[in-house]
Amino acid sequence: MTFEGKVAVVTGAAGGLGAAYAAALAAKGAAVAIVDRDLASAEAMAEFITNEGGRAIALGAELAEWDAVEKCVRTIETSMGRIDILINNAGGGSSSPGNASSIEAIAPSAWSSLVDSNLTTAFMTIRAAAPVMKRQRYGKIVNISSRSARVSDPKFEQSPAYACAKTAILGLTRFAARELGPYGITVNCLVPGLVLSGPVLEDYWMRLSTERQKSYLEDLALRRLPRMEEIVGPVLFLCGDGSDYISGVSLDVNGGSFMPA
Ligand SMILES: NC(=O)c1ccc[n+]([C@@H]2O[C@H](COP(=O)([O-])OP(=O)(O)OC[C@H]3O[C@@H](n4cnc5c(N)ncnc54)[C@H](O)[C@@H]3O)[C@@H](O)[C@H]2O)c1
């Protein structure tokens, strides 16, 4: 699979899974725009890619704000010429202050912040990038949801705000796929289970008792957590030519824990 000549925008790519998607696309020839509200880390990631022989720029933006997103997309189009791939990865933040696993306990501000990060960011970037992709009559959009959009798990504390935002991403994917399909743009969604993508989640996993870890793993047909590259691979597939006739799909990558008929 090659992405030579393609321009990819990866949101929330300053670290974690977003950085892994960006690095993998760059390694296969794409020029990558790393967009994150954490500009310093985004710049460090762009430097890492450049040092590896790839092409990358870093942009700092609060992606739930329209003016910032529009400016970002304008800058990318001007400096890189086009936008072929958009990965809406920004989000996460289940451990943010005020978040809770009960609707009564969650602070309204935490609800808004999680919905902004996990849903509004994707709406904003699709809205801003769609005109560019329509002019090109080509585009690949991949939204990132979560297993918590699929499974209400009584054994583990889940955030309703996070789960609801990630569920809405499935709907956003369908609407965008239908609207943009006539212009040669595919819109799909990746729905991953738990991935130890950085220190916060590694720490969360390590703090679970052995029984709770075992209980989580027993719900997975494959009985293990994924390696990062096992999440990156399916995203690259949805960005590449092999998925040209796939649109509006939400692809579960969870080791076999949500298997609808
Ligand atoms: N790691 C997992 O287990 C897992 C599982 C399912 C889904 N996901 C999803 O995958 C994505 C990446 O996960 P991760 O674990 O690498 O998260 P992460 O916290 O390491 O990275 C998320 C990045 O998004 C950025 N971001 C968040 N809100 C933003 C905003 N409003 N504007 C600009 N940047 C913003 C953050 O600064 C951060 O760099 C998230 O959407 C997450 O919900 C992760």
Side-chain angles (χ1 to χ4, degrees):
M1 198 188 302
T2 175
F3 291 97
E4 210 60 59
K6 299 279 198 259
V7 173
V9 178
V10 188
T11 73
L17 285 161
Y21 304 144
L25 284 164
K28 291 186 181 296
V32 182
I34 291 166
V35 190
D36 203 293
R37 61 184 168 199
D38 176 355
L39 177 60
S41 303
E43 283 174 339
M45 192 54 211
E47 195 181 336
F48 169 80
I49 289 175
T50 310
N51 289 341
E52 294 287 302
R55 285 169 299 157
I57 62 165
L59 296 166
E62 170 45 69
L63 292 167
E65 287 172 11
W66 173 247
D67 288 351
V69 175
E70 203 186 19
K71 188 170 161 216
C72 228
V73 165
R74 256 201 323 271
T75 306
I76 294 165
E77 203 190 3
T78 308
S79 62
M80 303 174 101
R82 47 191 293 122
I83 298 176
D84 299 291
I85 295 163
L86 167 64
I87 303 179
N88 281 315
N89 166 81
S94 281
S95 56
S96 8
N99 193 18
S101 56
S102 128
I103 289 172
E104 281 186 74
I106 189 167
S109 58
W111 174 277
S112 303
S113 148
L114 280 151
V115 169
D116 273 357
S117 278
N118 287 285
L119 174 63
T120 310
T121 52
F123 157 70
M124 293 290 186
T125 53
I126 293 173
R127 189 174 191 269
V132 181
M133 290 182 167
K134 280 162 85 171
R135 275 197 299 279
Q136 298 166 177
R137 297 198 77 80
Y138 180 86
K140 294 263 179 188
I141 299 175
V142 182
N143 297 323
I144 307 292
S145 178
S146 160
R147 178 177 178 266
S148 61
R150 302 290 209 188
V151 180
S152 172
D153 191 340
K155 287 183 289 184
F156 286 85
E157 289 181 356
Q158 284 182 299
S159 157
Y162 179 74
C164 291
K166 290 303 196 186
T167 306
I169 284 282
L170 308 178
L172 177 66
T173 300
R174 288 194 297 269
F175 274 91
R178 194 158 289 285
E179 184 172 329
L180 300 177
Y183 302 91
I185 301 164
T186 65
V187 187
N188 292 297
C189 181
L190 192 89
V191 192
L194 178 65
V195 196
L196 304 186
S197 53
V200 173
L201 286 170
E202 275 159 18
D203 188 51
Y204 163 78
W205 181 252
M206 291 318 291
R207 277 188 287 108
L208 290 181
S209 65
T210 312
E211 290 71 40
R212 294 190 84 202
Q213 288 184 355
K214 202 165 155 251
S215 163
Y216 183 88
L217 297 176
E218 275 170 356
D219 283 346
L220 312 182
L222 296 178
R223 298 288 197 277
R224 65 173 179 83
L225 296 180
R227 297 187 294 276
M228 291 280 270
E229 61 268 28
E230 291 172 321
I231 305 298
V232 172
V235 167
L236 261 53
F237 167 69
L238 293 175
C239 294
D241 296 347
S243 61
D244 278 353
Y245 201 61
I246 298 177
S247 200
V249 159
S250 290
L251 178 62
D252 292 285
V253 182
N254 58 28
S257 64
F258 171 77
M259 297 189 249

